[in-house]
Amino acid sequence: MSTTTGTPPAAGDTTAATLTSDEHGNIELGKLTLAAEVIGQGTVAPPAVAEYALWLGDDALVLAQNLGWWISRAPELEEDIAIGNIALDLIGHARSFLSYAGSASGRTEDEMAYFRGEEEYRSAQLFEQANGDFAHTIARNFIAGCFQHALYERLQGSHDETLAAIAAKSIKEVDYHVDHATQWVLRLAGGTAKSRRRLIVGFADVWPYVDELFRDEPLNDELAGVAVRQSTLRPAFDTRVAAVFAEAELEVPVGFTATGGGRVGKHHETLGPLLAEMQVLARQFPGAAW
Amino acid sequence: MTISLPTRPIGGDISAEEQQFNDLIAQDSRIEPRDWMPEAYRKTLIRQIAQHAHSEIIGMQPESNWILRAPSLKRKAILIAKVQDEAGHGLYLYSAAQTLGVGRDEMTEQLIAGTARYSSIFNYATPTWADMGSIGWLVDGAAICNQVPLCRASYGPYGRAMVRICKEESFHQRQGFEILLELMNGTPEQRQMAQESVNRWYWPALMMFGPPDDDSPNSARSMAWKIKRFSNDELRRRFVGMLVPQAEVLGLTLPDPDLTWNEEKQAYDMGQPDWDEFHEVLAGRGQMNAQRMQRRRDAHDEGAWVREAAAAYAARQSATTERVVA
Ligand SMILES: [Fe+2]
Ligand SMILES: [Fe+2]
C-alpha cells in the first residue's frame, strides 16, 4: 500500500509513459484519410455519365448539409448521433459520386462541391427542403431514403462499373436511413396528438416535391442500361410508402405538385443560402488545401 | 473471502464497511456500484462525472459551428464524426453517473437550470476554421492529459467509461493537429489564421487543468480517494512539455514569453494564465456562456414533444405486447 498518493510518478512509471508517449505525445504526421471510402478514383467518367453522377451526388450532399444542422440540436443525444451517422454516410456517397463526376473534367470532389454555382447544381428539390421541425425532417428523410433505396437497388446492375459499385456500397447505409425514418414515422404518428398532427403537416409540406423524383429526363434516353429510369422506380417507392403509411394509419397527401427542375439547375429557394454557407470558407481561399 | 483486521479508528469508531472501503482504496482496487461508499465520495463522483458529461455535450457546440462551413468534404466528415463522438462520450458518462443513483433527466435539468457546471473552455467562441485545429490539438489534448489518469479512477464504471473515451480523444487530438499542420503548410493567410487561433486558445487550454494547487480546495481529498491522481499544476506542466516539440513541428509559436527550458529542474518554466479571466468565465461572464446554455435549453425544449411522442408510442407498444402475450 502506498501513502504517496499524488506524488509525481518516477521516470519509467507506466502512467508517465502513457502520459508522454503512447496516448498522444506521439502524433503521427501521416494523414488521417477517409479517401479509401471514395469509390471510383482513377476512373474517368464519360460526360453523360458524369452528368448523371452529379444528380445523385448533389442529392446526397445537399441532404447531408441540411442534416448537419441538427448535430447538437436534436431532440435527444441519441438522435444527435443517429442524424450525424446519416449525414456522414451521405457525405461518403456524395464524395464518391462527385469525384467520379469531376473525373470527366479533371476536377476534384471539392471543386465539384465548393466551386459550382447554384445553377450548376443538379439536386432534386426534395433534398433541398429545409429541415423545418423534427417531423418535417423525418418526412423528407423518409421520402429521400425510400427513393434512394429503390434507385440504388437497381443501379447496382448498371453497365457502368463505378456507378454500380457506389450503389452497392451505399444501399446498405441507405437501408439504415430508411429504417431510422420509418421508426420515427411510426413513433410520431402513433405517439401523441401533437406529434401526429405535426407529422401530417410535415408530409403535406414536402409531398409536392415527390413527383419530380420520378420524372424521366432526356439524359435517361442517352444512358439506357447505365442510369436508372426514374419513372420505373415509382412502383417500388409507392409499395414501401403504402406499407409504412398503413401501419402508421396515415394517408398519402393530396394537393400541389411542384414544378421541379432541379436536374436542369432550377432550384428551390433554400439552395442558394445552403450553398452560400457551405462554400463560404473554401471560396475565400481558392486553391488552398485543408 | 478476506476478513480485514480492524484498525485502530482515529477519533472514533469506524464501521466494518467503511474499513472495507478504505482497504479497497488503499489496495488500488475498484469501488463498484454495489459497494458501500461514504456519502461524500458518492457526491463528489456524481458532481465530477455529471460535470464531465455536461462538458462533452456543451463541447459539441463550438465545433458544430463549423460543420456546415467545413472547407472540404473530408474535413466535414471528420468534424461530424468528432462531434458525434462527443455526444457518445456524454452518453457513456451519464450512464456511469446513473450507477450512483442519479437520473439522466435530473442531470439534464440541472444543466439547463444552470445549477450544474461544465468546462469553461467551451464558453469561448470559434470565429475561425483554425479554431477546429486548436480545439483538437489544445483542448482535446489537455482533456487527454486530465483524463488518462482517470482511467485508473477508483470508481469502476467511471474508470471504464474513461478508457473508452480516451481512445477516441487521441483521434480528436490528432485530427486537430492535422488541421493546423495543413494550415501551416498553406498560404500566408492560412498560417496567420492558425497562429492567431493558437494565440487565443493556448491559455484557456492551460486553465483546463484547474486553479493552481495552492488554490484548489477539492483537489486534496479527490487525490486521497484516488478519484484524481495528479495535481493540477503537475498535469499542466506535463501538458506544456508535450506541446513544445509538437509546436516546433507545426512551426507555431506558443504565446508565452516566459516559456523556457530549465536544465536544473528538467522541466519548463512557464508564465501563469490570467486567473482573473478564468474566474470571470467560471462566473458566467465569458464570451459564449449565455449562448451555450440557450442552445442546450432550446434543443431540450423544442425536442420535448418528440421525446413525449416516443415515450407514448413505446408505452402503447408494450401495452399491446402484453395483451398479445396474455
Ligand atoms: Fe470527448
Ligand atoms: Fe474530444
Side-chain angles (χ1 to χ4, degrees):
Chain A
M1 144 177 182
S2 153
T3 49
T4 54
T5 312
T7 307
D13 177 290
T14 51
T15 311
T18 309
L19 270 169
T20 52
S21 65
D22 295 344
E23 292 295 328
H24 53 267
N26 175 19
I27 287 188
E28 289 171 28
L29 299 184
K31 300 195 173 184
L32 277 182
T33 178
L34 297 181
E37 290 174 15
V38 178
I39 294 170
Q41 285 189 327
T43 318
V44 175
V49 176
E51 174 72 10
Y52 182 66
L54 269 192
W55 293 7
L56 309 189
D58 288 348
D59 285 352
L61 179 57
V62 168
L63 185 56
Q65 180 73 6
N66 268 320
L67 290 176
W69 180 88
W70 277 107
I71 302 169
S72 79
R73 294 181 176 92
E76 52 193 10
L77 291 176
E78 286 82 351
E79 284 308 301
D80 282 307
I81 295 175
I83 292 174
N85 268 331
I86 296 171
L88 266 178
D89 290 342
L90 291 166
I91 291 172
H93 308 168
R95 293 181 67 195
S96 293
F97 282 124
L98 293 182
S99 84
Y100 191 42
S103 69
S105 50
R107 285 180 287 176
T108 64
E109 59 180 57
D110 287 332
E111 285 170 312
M112 300 307 283
Y114 292 93
F115 292 92
R116 276 183 304 141
E118 185 178 342
E119 68 293 343
E120 295 170 279
Y121 262 72
R122 292 293 177 266
S123 41
Q125 294 187 9
L126 176 94
F127 297 90
E128 298 164 6
Q129 296 307 301
N131 287 321
D133 66 6
F134 190 72
H136 280 84
T137 289
I138 290 301
R140 181 198 60 204
N141 284 12
F142 177 71
I143 295 166
C146 290
F147 167 73
Q148 288 176 320
H149 197 276
L151 172 60
Y152 294 160
E153 198 157 59
R154 296 268 303 284
L155 193 62
Q156 295 178 89
S158 170
H159 294 161
D160 184 285
E161 278 179 24
T162 303
L163 290 180
I166 299 172
K169 179 181 181 285
S170 304
I171 192 168
K172 295 177 204 127
E173 293 166 347
V174 172
D175 206 51
Y176 162 73
H177 306 171
V178 173
D179 189 55
H180 175 265
T182 301
Q183 294 308 316
W184 274 112
V185 167
L186 297 176
R187 283 188 201 121
L188 296 180
T192 62
K194 184 178 192 177
S195 68
R196 182 170 178 81
R197 193 174 66 240
R198 286 190 172 210
L199 183 67
I200 290 170
V201 171
F203 270 117
D205 288 347
V206 295
W207 206 263
Y209 302 92
V210 170
D211 193 68
E212 181 195 2
L213 299 172
F214 300 98
R215 288 181 207 154
D216 292 333
E217 301 284 336
L219 188 65
N220 289 107
D221 297 330
E222 214 179 312
L223 290 177
V226 170
V228 181
R229 269 188 185 282
Q230 290 76 245
S231 58
T232 63
L233 298 172
R234 188 75 200 233
F237 174 87
D238 285 342
T239 305
R240 189 188 279 265
V241 169
V244 174
F245 276 30
E247 193 179 342
E249 295 174 30
L250 293 171
E251 281 172 27
V252 173
V254 285
F256 303 110
T257 294
T259 324
R263 303 304 187 202
V264 294
K266 291 181 187 155
H267 294 288
H268 197 264
E269 59 187 22
T270 51
L271 187 65
L274 179 144
L275 292 181
E277 183 170 36
M278 184 176 88
Q279 298 175 334
V280 61
L281 177 59
R283 286 186 176 219
Q284 242 178 304
F285 297 86
W290 302 96
Chain B
M1 188 179 165
T2 50
I3 299 164
S4 42
L5 295 171
T7 50
R8 196 161 49 84
I10 302 159
D13 276 339
I14 175 168
S15 67
E17 47 196 8
E18 183 164 6
Q19 184 58 50
Q20 194 177 13
F21 171 86
N22 290 345
D23 289 347
L24 286 171
I25 295 281
Q27 293 154 10
D28 267 345
S29 293
R30 297 270 207 205
I31 307 297
E32 295 298 336
R34 285 163 179 229
D35 293 336
W36 182 90
M37 60 188 85
E39 205 40 40
Y41 176 86
R42 181 191 302 273
K43 283 207 174 113
T44 301
L45 272 169
I46 289 177
R47 185 175 55 91
Q48 181 174 334
I49 300 174
Q51 181 173 332
H52 189 168
H54 298 329
S55 301
E56 300 282 355
I57 300 309
I58 297 290
M60 295 167 70
Q61 292 183 30
E63 290 179 288
S64 75
N65 185 29
W66 283 92
I67 286 176
L68 299 183
R69 290 177 292 167
S72 78
L73 296 183
K74 186 182 93 173
R75 288 284 163 220
K76 191 191 287 285
I78 293 173
L79 189 60
I80 290 176
K82 189 195 172 214
V83 177
Q84 211 186 12
D85 279 352
E86 308 299 6
H89 297 174
L91 283 177
Y92 304 158
L93 288 163
Y94 283 132
S95 305
Q98 281 169 306
T99 64
L100 292 160
V102 59
R104 183 165 141 194
D105 289 344
E106 195 184 326
M107 290 183 274
T108 304
E109 292 300 337
Q110 287 168 353
L111 173 62
I112 287 168
T115 55
R117 288 200 182 285
Y118 57 87
S119 177
S120 284
I121 192 76
F122 301 118
N123 290 321
Y124 289 85
T126 52
T128 76
W129 168 254
D131 295 337
M132 301 302 97
S134 296
I135 287 184
W137 184 45
L138 298 173
V139 175
D140 287 278
I144 295 169
C145 281
N146 269 329
Q147 290 171 7
V148 166
L150 292 177
C151 297
R152 299 195 300 145
S154 55
Y155 187 60
Y158 188 31
R160 287 187 290 273
M162 291 316 305
V163 170
R164 292 174 73 179
I165 290 172
C166 284
K167 280 191 187 133
E168 294 177 349
E169 295 296 356
S170 52
F171 153 73
H172 296 174
Q173 198 197 14
R174 206 159 64 235
Q175 64 84 39
F177 181 88
E178 266 198 22
I179 288 174
L180 293 173
L181 188 64
E182 286 281 4
L183 292 173
M184 292 306 289
N185 287 337
T187 64
E189 291 85 354
Q190 283 179 301
R191 281 198 290 280
Q192 194 191 338
M193 191 198 282
Q195 183 66 60
E196 185 276 332
S197 172
V198 167
N199 291 349
R200 272 186 290 113
W201 287 94
Y202 179 75
W203 291 112
L206 293 195
M207 294 179 200
M208 288 173 68
F209 296 96
D213 291 347
D214 48 24
D215 184 27
S216 181
N218 295 323
S219 274
R221 193 171 60 176
S222 285
M223 286 179 61
W225 276 339
K226 298 184 182 173
I227 294 173
K228 209 175 146 129
R229 300 260 176 180
F230 300 98
S231 80
N232 297 349
D233 286 333
E234 168 66 9
L235 287 170
R236 188 166 15 247
R237 206 173 50 73
R238 285 167 179 277
F239 179 57
V240 170
M242 180 197 99
L243 289 181
V244 170
Q246 293 175 3
E248 262 163 42
V249 172
L250 288 167
L252 283 162
T253 307
L254 298 176
D256 178 359
D258 298 328
L259 186 63
T260 46
W261 177 251
N262 184 322
E263 189 61 39
E264 202 177 312
K265 283 197 265 173
Q266 286 294 299
Y268 282 94
D269 289 332
M270 49 195 273
Q272 280 293 313
D274 179 352
W275 292 114
D276 290 340
E277 177 184 311
F278 175 81
H279 290 294
E280 280 293 291
V281 178
L282 204 61
R285 292 184 288 270
Q287 282 176 310
M288 300 293 284
N289 300 52
Q291 167 72 35
R292 300 292 184 237
M293 292 296 290
Q294 185 189 352
R295 165 85 68 87
R296 191 83 304 264
R297 193 171 56 240
D298 286 353
H300 188 74
D301 290 351
E302 283 159 25
W305 68 274
V306 177
R307 295 190 302 275
E308 280 157 20
Y313 179 76
R316 201 162 301 149
Q317 289 299 103
S318 66
T320 312
T321 314
E322 271 166 36
R323 267 202 307 281
V324 171
V325 172

